[in-house]
Amino acid sequence: MKVLTEPFRIKMVEPIKMTDEPYRKMALQNAGFNPFLLSSDDVFIDLMTDSGTSAMSQNQWAAIMIADESYAGAKSWTRLEKVVKDLTSMPFILPTHQGRAAERIIYGLLGGKGKVFLANSHFDTTRANIEFTGARAIDLMPEESLDSFKYLPFKGNIDLDKLEIAILEIGAPNIGAIIITVTNNSSGGQPVSMANVKAVRALCSKHGILLILDGCRIAENSYFIKQREAEYSQWSYKDIAKEMLSLADIFVMSAKKDGLVNMGGLLCLRNEELNQKCVNQLIISEGFTTYGGLSGRDMEAIAVGLEEVFESDYLEYRIRSTAYLGEKLKEIGIPVIWPIGGHAVYIDAKKLFPKIPIEQFPGQRLVCELYTVGGVRSVELGSVMFGKNDSSGSLIPASQELVRLAIPRRVYTQSHIDYVVEVFENIKELTTAEKGFKIIYEPPFLRHFTARFEKLYS
Ligand code: F0G
């Protein structure tokens, strides 16, 4: 069969408000032209993130009903801990309220002035948590992966040559950790191969450096490994994830992605001494070790979600439906990052709007047009999110000007996605646009969340 069908049927529905273009223009202006500041009620199709936006299954909701909300030693914790220990083979499992809480704890302990972290690409919260400690975060992507349109099976890989050089230049004792993010969110949602992680493991062991796996989309990454890395074609998705996790010293996970839940995170470790330090931080800021920042209900839902996410019917539908959107957009001439990643379609906004200067944020123009024309909310992953100002206030741009359409898990149907394609049909004629936006307010960290903009076109 050629038609892509959702492997579920709908038992409960959530109405969406329909709005028109004049209404959306006003809403966007009131939000300072920053879609993060829109009310979700004013959004028709919300592709801002796949994080915490999953629809839960009947089994997850059923588990929620039997959750144990005890402060200490809750049964729901025991259940979650067992699932995560089995998956990670790590002896120390800490629950956190979301991924960045785990990041704050671990990078707070490993970071500090003079330390350097090396990664394929640091996600924004990862970078912020590292830099907040005074440490540096360096991305080491292969040059060829920065070519938006070149097909590479594992475009999320870290550059092993650059990594070796960086280790020698920086010196192993100054390296806080090497971080591999799967899939590579900041760089197109592209997968990382098992061979790449194995090679990084070998370098870490040789130089005595910790390997951290940020695996919030590890099931999606496993799908690509099974399809594209011959050695694993007969493995189950879960066994592939287990194999990758067996290579890491530390696992950081935002359960809001492949945990198929709305809230939750995990920090898992092998080293007892480091675990003890993390436990102290956890208790001060998140909660006791058997709930972290989570309710028993959250922990039950994650325990079930982490099993469901590896089911082949689900995972195949998931990756195929993301590719469906990307392939349709490519067909109508939209410059999408190729191949399509796991959780999102990324558009090269610099190529779509070649005349808009980077200082005027072409990606911001695209996210604003998508909202105005169709009520579609997306997110800029370019110089608004990753750019910096030098001491004279000039922009140091990001390496790419991307816009992400992230697909919430099990939420939208194919007709919603066809509608998004139609919105792009209407935006195509704007590609001669010459102007974008100017930032009129920005906070010192993670500026994209609360920045406000002035529109430079009419
Ligand atoms: N690491 C990666 C690779 C992520 O994509 C995210 C979140 C985090 C860590 C932090 O997790 O949100 O639970 O605190 N990514 C979301 C996104 C926000 O939209 O891609 P969190």
Side-chain angles (χ1 to χ4, degrees):
M1 295 291 173
K2 287 208 187 97
V3 177
L4 172 76
T5 53
E6 290 83 7
F8 50 81
R9 52 189 178 181
I10 297 164
K11 205 177 244 183
M12 190 191 283
V13 295
E14 179 184 356
I16 326 180
K17 186 168 93 183
M18 311 293 270
T19 56
D20 59 17
E21 203 166 316
Y23 179 91
R24 293 192 292 264
K25 275 193 170 145
M26 210 176 58
L28 193 59
Q29 188 170 350
N30 291 340
F33 299 99
N34 183 349
F36 276 104
L37 302 177
L38 286 169
S39 161
S40 69
D41 206 28
D42 291 336
V43 176
F44 182 48
I45 307 282
D46 204 344
L47 306 183
M48 170 163 264
T49 181
D50 63 320
S51 179
T53 52
S54 300
M56 287 200 287
S57 68
Q58 59 182 2
N59 286 340
Q60 286 177 293
W61 284 108
I64 281 172
M65 295 305 290
I66 55 160
D68 177 359
E69 302 297 347
S70 304
Y71 189 95
K75 285 199 293 283
S76 301
W77 163 245
T78 314
R79 180 177 185 189
L80 175 61
E81 189 188 32
K82 186 166 175 291
V83 169
V84 181
K85 272 190 176 167
D86 173 58
L87 185 64
T88 61
S89 68
M90 294 187 188
F92 305 109
I93 314 293
L94 305 179
T96 62
H97 82 275
Q98 62 183 87
R100 72 197 67 182
E103 291 180 332
R104 184 180 47 72
I105 292 171
I106 194 66
Y107 299 125
L109 289 168
L110 299 178
K113 247 191 160 33
K115 289 284 178 191
V116 181
F117 289 81
L118 306 171
N120 45 354
S121 308
H122 293 83
F123 185 65
D124 62 350
T125 59
T126 317
R127 176 177 291 281
N129 272 297
I130 288 170
E131 291 179 349
F132 191 71
T133 71
R136 274 197 304 146
I138 302 176
D139 292 348
L140 297 172
M141 291 295 289
E143 292 310 309
E144 58 176 0
S145 299
L146 299 180
D147 177 342
S148 308
F149 307 110
K150 178 169 181 169
Y151 178 92
L152 291 171
F154 292 104
K155 226 173 174 176
N157 282 355
I158 194 168
D159 187 316
L160 295 167
D161 294 335
K162 284 188 189 172
L163 181 60
E164 267 200 278
I165 294 168
I167 294 171
L168 294 178
E169 276 177 10
I170 297 161
N174 300 320
I175 297 175
I178 296 172
I179 305 163
I180 301 293
T181 302
V182 300
T183 54
N184 191 343
N185 188 11
S186 305
S187 180
Q190 299 290 331
V192 176
S193 70
M194 190 74 81
N196 193 248
V197 181
K198 280 188 175 166
V200 175
R201 172 73 261 166
L203 280 173
C204 285
S205 300
K206 180 171 159 199
H207 296 280
I209 300 170
L210 288 170
L211 172 55
I212 299 181
L213 198 68
D214 177 342
C216 60
R217 299 181 180 87
I218 192 162
E220 292 173 2
N221 199 80
S222 299
Y223 174 88
F224 290 107
I225 289 181
K226 188 174 165 75
Q227 304 304 318
R228 299 180 187 170
E229 213 168 348
E231 203 183 326
Y232 297 94
S233 64
Q234 301 305 314
W235 287 47
S236 73
Y237 296 120
K238 194 181 206 169
D239 283 346
I240 292 172
K242 280 183 168 183
E243 172 84 351
M244 187 170 274
L245 282 159
S246 75
L247 302 168
D249 297 300
I250 296 166
F251 175 46
V252 179
M253 183 186 204
S254 165
K256 298 170 73 173
K257 286 85 170 170
D258 275 352
L260 295 175
V261 293
N262 307 117
M263 192 50 72
L266 294 164
L267 173 57
C268 311
L269 306 101
R270 293 193 197 281
N271 182 289
E272 190 165 3
E273 204 180 313
L274 186 56
N275 173 63
Q276 200 45 56
K277 290 183 186 158
C278 291
V279 165
N280 296 340
Q281 291 299 316
L282 185 82
I283 294 175
I284 291 169
S285 59
E286 288 287 289
F288 187 57
T289 48
T290 62
Y291 72 88
L294 299 172
S295 65
R297 292 185 285 275
D298 294 322
M299 295 191 288
E300 288 284 347
I302 300 170
V304 178
L306 283 177
E307 301 281 1
E308 283 180 0
V309 77
F310 290 107
E311 285 169 11
S312 52
D313 285 348
Y314 161 75
L315 210 43
E316 281 154 26
Y317 140 80
R318 166 72 180 156
I319 305 293
R320 275 301 309 142
S321 58
T322 305
Y324 175 85
L325 173 61
E327 284 160 12
K328 290 266 171 198
L329 291 181
K330 189 169 189 247
E331 270 168 36
I332 64 164
I334 304 295
V336 291
I337 299 277
W338 197 255
I340 302 300
H343 67 296
V345 174
Y346 292 69
I347 293 135
D348 188 330
K350 206 165 76 179
K351 290 229 160 59
L352 185 66
F353 295 132
K355 294 191 176 154
I356 301 179
I358 287 178
E359 291 70 25
Q360 292 184 20
F361 308 114
Q364 197 64 20
R365 174 90 194 239
L366 179 57
V367 297
C368 287
E369 293 296 348
L370 285 168
Y371 178 69
T372 309
V373 173
V376 176
R377 181 154 68 167
S378 55
V379 69
E380 194 261 13
L381 289 151
S383 291
V384 173
M385 190 181 273
F386 299 114
K388 291 219 165 83
N389 297 329
D390 68 13
S391 53
S392 70
S394 308
L395 177 74
I396 307 168
S399 57
Q400 287 170 294
E401 301 299 324
L402 304 180
V403 164
R404 185 184 74 174
L405 306 171
I407 318 290
R409 294 168 181 78
R410 305 189 289 209
V411 171
Y412 292 114
T413 62
Q414 188 167 330
S415 66
H416 288 120
I417 299 300
D418 287 336
Y419 169 86
V420 174
V421 177
E422 202 177 324
V423 172
F424 270 93
E425 285 276 13
N426 289 306
I427 284 175
K428 253 173 37 183
E429 65 203 42
L430 296 171
T431 54
T432 51
E434 293 178 359
K435 294 208 156 83
F437 290 89
K438 182 174 139 191
I439 295 181
I440 51 174
Y441 163 74
E442 62 177 297
F445 283 97
L446 300 175
R447 68 177 178 182
H448 55 285
F449 285 128
T450 52
R452 296 185 81 86
F453 298 84
E454 183 187 319
K455 188 169 143 201
L456 301 174
Y457 57 96
S458 54

